[in-house]
Amino acid sequence: MYGILHRGLQQGLHTTWTLGKVIFPITLIVTILQFTPVLPWVIEQLTPLMGLIGLSGEAAVPLVLGNSLNLYAGIAAIVSFDFTVKEVFIMAVMLSFSHNLFIESAVASKVGVSWWLIAGIRIALAIVSAVIINLVWNGGSEQAAYGFISNGDPALDGWGEIVLQGIQTAIIAVGQLALIVIPLMVVMQFLREKGWLTILSNKFAPFTKVLGMKENTSMTMVAGLTIGLAYGAGVMIQAVKEDGVEKKDMILALIFLVSCHAVVEDTLVFIPLGIPVWPLLLIRLITAIVLTMTIAFVWRNMDKKKHRRETTNEHTYNTL
């Protein structure tokens, strides 16, 4: 047990260090850029576009960083601005669908699924979800409270105080991340070494069948749901090789996972932002289930029609 705890702590500290190297400089740079003409100009240009999905111009910064880099870069940018709860929730949902777009979508090409297909689905889900939430939810107008991070408008005198404010905000952001990531890595290490991920995979098999996939995709699904697309890429590729997952089932599995992957980690990291995380999780899960089952249903019907046409043509040919 001590060995598992030790390895889990090491993994947690390593992950915190790796992610902290992204969060710290981005938080610092974005905070400082707010006091220069650069960021206000960019925000002004993007404000009309952001307004279509219920966001202020500043939201463009975390959305761009989150999509091009990773979820933590987006969160680092969010805590550098003052947003309402509704704005943070919309960004959280969007980034849940389309964060780390280039790297995670590239996983699709490793298992034989088009990068453009997966990236297109993720971007579409992010935009559609933002529009719906903006139209449906009338609340959330109060200012978001970012845990221990003060999001007020401090009176800063000179570049020294501005840089100090940025460093303070960055340190607190990394600290809060560590409080979530380290315990999470310990739990994941325990699950892996005790073989519970394999057990979970076996239990998950009937659910994959309901979604329109064969049961041998269950390990791929469990890897993506627990570890994520980027971190779980190796596990997913190995599962495809060992379990003989067909391309159709892999496409359906990835469609599900791009909507809802790393469900524990990607949900918990938003807690310090002061938004309701259960609705965030439910939106991702329901979207993934409905989208996957719909595509599987349409695909199955198309295959049946194709089979009937081929059978009819063969029968006609034999008759002639």
Side-chain angles (χ1 to χ4, degrees):
M1 183 66 184
Y2 173 78
I4 295 176
L5 178 62
H6 178 70
R7 285 186 290 275
L9 286 172
Q10 281 188 322
Q11 184 63 35
L13 289 171
H14 176 72
T15 304
T16 301
W17 170 250
T18 301
L19 299 176
K21 287 189 292 185
V22 175
I23 287 181
F24 188 92
I26 288 177
T27 304
L28 177 60
I29 291 170
V30 171
T31 301
I32 293 175
L33 283 177
Q34 291 180 75
F35 298 91
T36 70
V38 177
L39 201 57
W41 181 85
V42 173
I43 290 169
E44 183 181 351
Q45 303 305 310
L46 294 174
T47 296
L49 185 61
M50 292 294 100
L52 297 176
I53 53 176
L55 298 174
S56 56
E58 290 91 340
V61 179
L63 289 178
V64 169
L65 290 174
N67 277 279
S68 58
L69 296 175
N70 52 48
L71 193 60
Y72 303 95
I75 292 174
I78 288 175
V79 300
S80 304
F81 293 97
D82 293 335
F83 293 113
T84 65
V85 172
K86 182 176 180 178
E87 286 181 303
V88 174
F89 185 77
I90 289 176
M91 285 186 287
V93 173
M94 293 184 72
L95 290 174
S96 294
F97 284 132
S98 64
H99 63 271
N100 201 5
L101 195 62
F102 300 106
I103 295 175
E104 290 191 347
S105 297
V107 173
S109 63
K110 298 296 182 181
V111 293
V113 181
S114 169
W115 184 95
W116 293 103
L117 173 65
I118 299 301
I121 291 173
R122 299 183 73 184
I123 294 171
L125 287 174
I127 296 174
V128 171
S129 63
V131 172
I132 293 175
I133 294 170
N134 182 43
L135 293 175
V136 173
W137 189 19
N138 294 321
S141 58
E142 66 275 15
Q143 190 173 2
Y146 306 134
F148 299 112
I149 298 176
S150 173
N151 57 343
D153 189 14
L156 302 178
D157 184 19
W159 284 106
E161 292 188 6
I162 292 173
V163 173
L164 187 62
Q165 174 69 22
I167 293 174
Q168 180 182 355
T169 303
I171 290 174
I172 294 175
V174 174
Q176 291 186 157
L177 172 72
L179 291 176
I180 295 172
V181 169
I182 292 176
L184 178 62
M185 291 296 105
V186 172
V187 172
M188 290 301 300
Q189 189 71 26
F190 180 83
L191 292 176
R192 277 195 293 267
E193 296 197 19
K194 291 297 182 180
W196 286 9
L197 281 181
T198 302
I199 296 174
L200 183 59
S201 172
N202 295 332
K203 297 289 185 182
F204 202 78
F207 180 63
T208 61
K209 191 173 182 180
V210 172
L211 291 172
M213 294 170 273
K214 292 182 180 178
E215 294 183 355
N216 61 356
T217 59
S218 58
M219 179 57 80
T220 300
M221 293 285 283
V222 169
L225 281 168
T226 55
I227 308 174
L229 287 177
Y231 295 140
V235 178
M236 292 170 65
I237 294 170
Q238 192 66 23
V240 172
K241 293 179 180 178
E242 293 180 355
D243 300 334
V245 180
E246 295 179 2
K247 184 174 181 179
K248 175 184 174 182
D249 292 329
M250 179 49 58
I251 292 175
L252 290 174
L254 282 173
I255 287 172
F256 182 94
L257 290 174
V258 295
S259 308
C260 189
H261 60 267
V263 289
V264 177
E265 179 185 352
D266 285 2
T267 302
L268 291 180
V269 292
F270 284 107
I271 290 178
L273 300 185
I275 60 171
V277 293
W278 278 111
L280 173 63
L281 175 59
L282 289 175
I283 288 173
R284 296 183 70 196
L285 186 59
I286 292 172
T287 300
I289 293 173
V290 172
L291 181 62
T292 306
M293 291 182 70
T294 301
I295 293 176
F297 176 77
V298 173
W299 201 335
R300 189 164 54 248
N301 283 344
M302 289 175 63
D303 286 343
K304 287 180 180 178
K305 290 180 180 179
K306 181 180 179 181
H307 178 70
R308 282 198 299 266
R309 283 198 305 268
E310 290 175 351
T311 303
T312 301
N313 292 337
E314 183 180 352
H315 177 72
T316 303
Y317 176 81
N318 291 334
T319 302
L320 293 174

